[in-house]
Amino acid sequence: DDCSVFSNAGEQAACRKDNTAPSTKIMLTSGNVLSLTKSNLTFQAKDAESPLGKIGYCLVNAVSGSPALCTSFTEKSYPGKLKDETVVVNVISSLQEQIPGQTYALKFYSKDKYFNQENVQTAFVYIDNVPPQFEINQEIESSGDRTTLTVYLDATNEPMQCTFKVKQLLPAGGEK
């Protein structure tokens, strides 16, 4: 009897009465892409009868032929004692390897205070936790007292763009 962990008779009765699992959804932004700068996912769960307990999640490689089984879920407690809560999880921190852009299956579930667990759900996320590699190069053309400076990226390992600001030093000037 999993309700025996509660010492209060009222809690035990509430636990035995509640057989309803919570329902969880991911509050996705930026097209299901996780990176070094956007490593968090927000989960929202609701339970009709009881306060929420924990979120469990696991990442598995979604490449064809890979086993889609999670052998170890990471669990995190919901922050309050409500029936409708959100929790933010840094999913990238659970990865042990560098991923230069690959799709993963994110398996997740919620449990309520009385250990009722929903069925494991799956969402697909694209993960890129490798810093971009690039070289900054320039072309300088001078004619009289005017110089044209063109700055660009070379040897990139993924699509990227950048913006450069140049500050005039002499004569004193602003950013351009």
Side-chain angles (χ1 to χ4, degrees):
D1 178 16
D2 59 354
C3 296
S4 63
V5 299
F6 298 101
S7 56
N8 178 313
E11 288 274 24
Q12 286 182 358
C15 177
R16 288 187 182 100
K17 180 182 169 203
D18 179 8
N19 294 314
T20 306
S23 174
T24 309
K25 64 181 180 179
I26 301 176
M27 313 299 283
L28 289 171
T29 57
S30 66
N32 300 8
V33 175
L34 296 176
S35 66
L36 292 173
T37 58
K38 295 176 183 161
S39 59
N40 291 337
L41 280 178
T42 301
F43 294 92
Q44 179 186 28
K46 295 180 181 183
D47 192 298
E49 298 183 36
S50 305
L52 293 162
K54 295 183 177 195
I55 181 80
Y57 64 93
C58 174
L59 285 170
V60 288
N61 196 325
V63 171
S64 180
S66 298
L69 240 57
C70 280
T71 54
S72 176
F73 280 84
T74 301
E75 287 192 336
K76 181 175 179 176
S77 295
Y78 280 95
K81 308 242 183 271
L82 305 174
K83 296 178 185 178
D84 182 347
E85 292 201 57
T86 59
V87 64
V88 177
V89 173
N90 183 333
V91 177
I92 296 278
S93 68
S94 67
L95 287 172
Q96 309 300 314
E97 57 189 305
Q98 295 286 298
I99 312 297
Q102 195 167 316
T103 301
Y104 273 72
L106 173 67
K107 310 273 185 169
F108 63 96
Y109 62 83
S110 285
K111 289 187 212 178
D112 67 18
K113 176 182 180 177
Y114 299 122
F115 314 111
N116 297 306
Q117 178 181 313
E118 69 181 317
N119 291 331
V120 174
Q121 298 185 58
T122 303
F124 292 94
V125 293
Y126 184 81
I127 297 176
D128 179 359
N129 66 353
V130 174
Q133 305 287 318
F134 57 90
E135 295 174 10
I136 300 174
N137 285 315
Q138 78 273 339
E139 291 176 4
I140 302 171
E141 293 180 21
S142 294
S143 176
D145 63 349
R146 292 190 102 33
T147 299
T148 302
L149 171 65
T150 304
V151 181
Y152 58 94
L153 299 179
D154 244 350
T156 60
N157 66 342
E158 59 187 78
M160 62 183 73
Q161 67 182 29
C162 61
T163 303
F164 296 97
K165 291 189 178 188
V166 178
K167 185 173 182 178
Q168 182 176 321
L169 296 177
L170 295 173
E175 286 186 358
K176 297 184 183 200

